[in-house]
Amino acid sequence: MFKRLPLRLRSVAYALRGGFLVRPLMIAIVLGLCGAVLSSVEESTPLLVDWVPSTLFPSRQDPQVAQAILSVIATSIMTVVSIVFAILLMTLTLASMQFSPRILISFVRDRGTQWTLGIFLGTFSYCVAALPAARSLPQPFAPVATVAGAMLLALLCVGWLLFFIHHISQSISVNHIVDRIARETEQVIDALMPHPAVPHYRPAPTAFVSEEPEFPILNEVSGYIRFIDTARLMHFARMHHLRVRVTRSVGHFVPAGVPLLMISRRSRLDRDRAVELTGAFDIGPMRTLQQDVEFGVIQIADIALRAISPAVNDPSTAISCIDQLTRILISWVSRFPPETLMYNPPHVLRVVLPWIDLDGLLNTAIEQIRAYATTDAAVSLRLLRLLHDVAVTSENDWLRDIMVERGRRIVEGCRGRLPADDLTRLEQRLAVLERVHVRRHAPIRLESAGDGGD
């Protein structure tokens, strides 16, 4: 159990950092402590009252006025908190119904919403913590400075409520949603693939085939692989002179009882060591963006697919999603792929990890959109532009061949389904993509006949 603890702590920290618990709770606790400490300091140091303008709090000897102000602010703030939660729940419901249920994760991780809840709950905690200091017996005391602080927090809450309404109105915008998902996905790419590869992009190596017997380590908990501690796997394999092959990649679902790992020497592994080895995996009920680049792409592709469905028929939203997929794919091809075969020492294979490759990422990003957009010229044109933009960012002929082949597949899928004029525009844009090989070092401009603002 303790051998799994570091990864579990990391998983809990990731989940709490992106939820409505930690940041609002910490803000509420800090402001509550400020209310209690300030009222106590004010009672022991009466000179603090002189710093508060008399126009702000003229009745300095009547504790009932202080009690009334603190009570009114606390009651009003809790009413506003209920309104904020109602707005938030309505926003989450609309976003999940209109776009995709998977995007709720990005809403929950939104810091603006977390700070809003924290400020309001913190103001309530401040007033409740300071309220006992305002008393008539045994000796009357009115915490003037503390009440002045509560009034300032109340004014802050009024301004913050206006900010929250503006923030929510922006957050529900589809362009804002897909941009946020794309930025989070790029951050995952930066962490997973830190080494730039332009212009020397290399394809993923072929699948590893073992020439000696392998023995399975079964998975014990059903769920999605959310994070793999590769350094821990490498250390374990080197210390015990093993080769470890992971059977599923990040983001895949692994049922209990299915082999999670394959090892080369069964005699070197007992029950405790097997538990230590499986402790390098974070497996949970839902996918996250810890190491899962594909999950970010899936969220954006889901929004695009729902937008081009006959029930919605919103190609502009699908085009916005394709634009964001373009930046993710360019970020991917500009980096060296994650290491699939890990050696230590050199020429001694220790760990085999099945990361997603460019073909898999392209399949997730464009194939379903391509299949459903065969009767939509605007979306198909934007898919061709995606392939063109990815191709011109690299000087690797292998990658450009893949982009050209995908472009031909898009045009062939639309053939016979679009009017002749629209098909001509697609063929013109495909011709521009095919000329990328010839005009490698020259700037490429899309032909005006095939541009059309798509």
Side-chain angles (χ1 to χ4, degrees):
M1 175 179 179
F2 293 103
K3 295 177 180 179
R4 292 176 177 265
L5 190 58
L7 194 61
R8 287 183 176 178
L9 290 177
R10 185 191 187 281
S11 177
V12 170
Y14 178 85
L16 293 180
R17 186 174 67 248
F20 286 150
L21 178 61
V22 174
R23 185 172 282 112
L25 180 62
M26 294 301 297
I27 296 174
I29 292 176
V30 169
L31 288 180
L33 290 175
C34 288
V37 172
L38 182 59
S39 60
S40 177
V41 172
E42 184 179 359
E43 186 174 6
S44 61
T45 310
L47 295 178
L48 287 177
V49 179
D50 299 335
W51 292 89
V52 180
S54 58
T55 55
L56 186 64
F57 197 95
S59 180
R60 305 191 174 211
Q61 303 299 326
D62 190 356
Q64 293 183 356
V65 175
Q67 292 175 349
I69 294 176
L70 293 174
S71 299
V72 168
I73 292 176
T75 305
S76 303
I77 288 300
M78 287 309 296
T79 303
V80 174
V81 168
S82 64
I83 296 174
V84 169
F85 270 107
I87 295 174
L88 182 60
L89 292 177
M90 181 186 65
T91 302
L92 295 178
T93 302
L94 290 175
S96 63
M97 293 176 59
Q98 185 174 357
F99 303 121
S100 172
R102 295 183 179 89
I103 68 172
L104 295 182
I105 297 176
S106 61
F107 275 96
V108 172
R109 294 176 60 85
D110 182 63
R111 292 189 177 183
T113 304
Q114 294 176 4
W115 272 96
T116 300
L117 295 176
I119 291 295
F120 285 118
L121 293 176
T123 301
F124 173 79
S125 301
Y126 179 96
C127 295
V128 171
L131 192 57
R135 61 186 183 272
S136 301
L137 296 175
Q139 183 179 356
F141 175 69
V144 178
T146 306
V147 174
M151 297 169 68
L152 292 177
L153 284 176
L155 292 176
L156 175 63
C157 289
V158 172
W160 206 280
L161 180 61
L162 298 176
F163 159 77
F164 176 70
I165 295 173
H166 171 73
H167 179 72
I168 285 294
S169 65
Q170 281 191 328
S171 299
I172 200 66
S173 168
V174 64
N175 290 330
H176 181 85
I177 293 172
V178 294
D179 177 75
R180 181 170 55 194
I181 297 173
R183 279 189 282 106
E184 292 176 356
T185 306
E186 285 181 325
Q187 292 173 3
V188 178
I189 294 175
D190 292 340
L192 189 63
M193 306 161 58
H195 305 295
V198 175
H200 308 295
Y201 179 83
R202 62 183 182 188
T206 57
F208 171 78
V209 178
S210 176
E211 298 180 354
E212 57 185 71
E214 292 184 318
F215 305 94
I217 302 296
L218 302 183
N219 183 39
E220 297 180 354
V221 180
S222 298
Y224 293 93
I225 299 177
R226 304 187 293 193
F227 183 84
I228 301 177
D229 191 342
T230 56
R232 185 172 178 177
L233 286 178
M234 173 63 76
H235 176 74
F236 184 93
R238 183 174 58 84
M239 291 296 295
H240 297 90
H241 305 286
L242 295 171
R243 185 185 67 247
V244 178
R245 180 170 65 87
V246 182
T247 60
R248 304 285 176 95
S249 62
V250 172
H252 285 188
F253 185 83
V254 187
V258 172
L260 177 63
L261 298 160
M262 304 294 290
I263 62 172
S264 59
R265 299 179 182 181
R266 189 173 187 177
S267 59
R268 295 181 180 270
L269 212 64
D270 55 16
R271 172 63 182 173
D272 292 337
R273 290 178 177 176
V275 171
E276 181 181 356
L277 191 57
T278 56
F281 293 81
D282 176 23
I283 298 178
M286 59 187 301
R287 299 174 73 167
T288 65
L289 278 172
Q290 297 181 69
Q291 285 183 328
D292 194 354
V293 177
E294 186 183 21
F295 183 54
V297 175
I298 287 175
Q299 294 181 64
I300 299 177
D302 279 351
I303 298 174
L305 290 172
R306 184 163 297 194
I308 60 178
S309 64
V312 179
N313 192 21
D314 182 14
S316 297
T317 295
I319 288 173
S320 298
C321 295
I322 294 171
D323 291 339
Q324 299 298 334
L325 291 173
T326 303
R327 64 187 279 193
I328 294 175
L329 291 172
I330 291 176
S331 179
W332 177 275
V333 301
S334 66
R335 307 297 181 91
F336 280 116
E339 292 293 339
T340 300
L341 305 178
M342 303 178 66
Y343 297 85
N344 192 340
H347 309 296
V348 178
L349 182 61
R350 294 297 186 190
V351 178
V352 180
L353 292 166
W355 299 106
I356 188 172
D357 57 6
L358 179 61
D359 279 334
L361 205 62
L362 282 172
N363 288 335
T364 303
I366 69 174
E367 280 304 306
Q368 282 188 298
I369 301 176
R370 177 193 66 81
Y372 284 94
T374 53
T375 58
D376 194 317
V379 176
S380 298
L381 282 168
R382 190 53 64 97
L383 285 176
L384 287 174
R385 176 173 289 180
L386 176 151
L387 298 174
H388 175 270
D389 290 343
V390 175
V392 298
T393 58
S394 174
E395 296 184 3
N396 187 284
D397 290 336
W398 170 84
L399 185 144
R400 291 177 170 180
D401 288 339
I402 291 179
M403 299 299 114
V404 171
E405 178 60 30
R406 298 273 179 169
R408 291 170 180 166
R409 195 181 304 175
I410 292 172
V411 175
E412 289 302 319
C414 296
R415 197 177 301 279
R417 297 172 178 263
L418 290 176
D421 292 342
D422 290 336
L423 189 61
T424 300
R425 296 169 66 195
L426 288 175
E427 291 175 342
Q428 289 173 345
R429 187 161 292 182
L430 176 61
V432 174
L433 175 61
E434 291 174 336
R435 288 200 297 271
V436 171
H437 285 284
V438 179
R439 302 170 62 185
R440 172 177 298 182
H441 301 290
I444 300 175
R445 297 182 179 178
L446 297 180
E447 297 176 356
S448 59
D451 198 12
D454 297 314

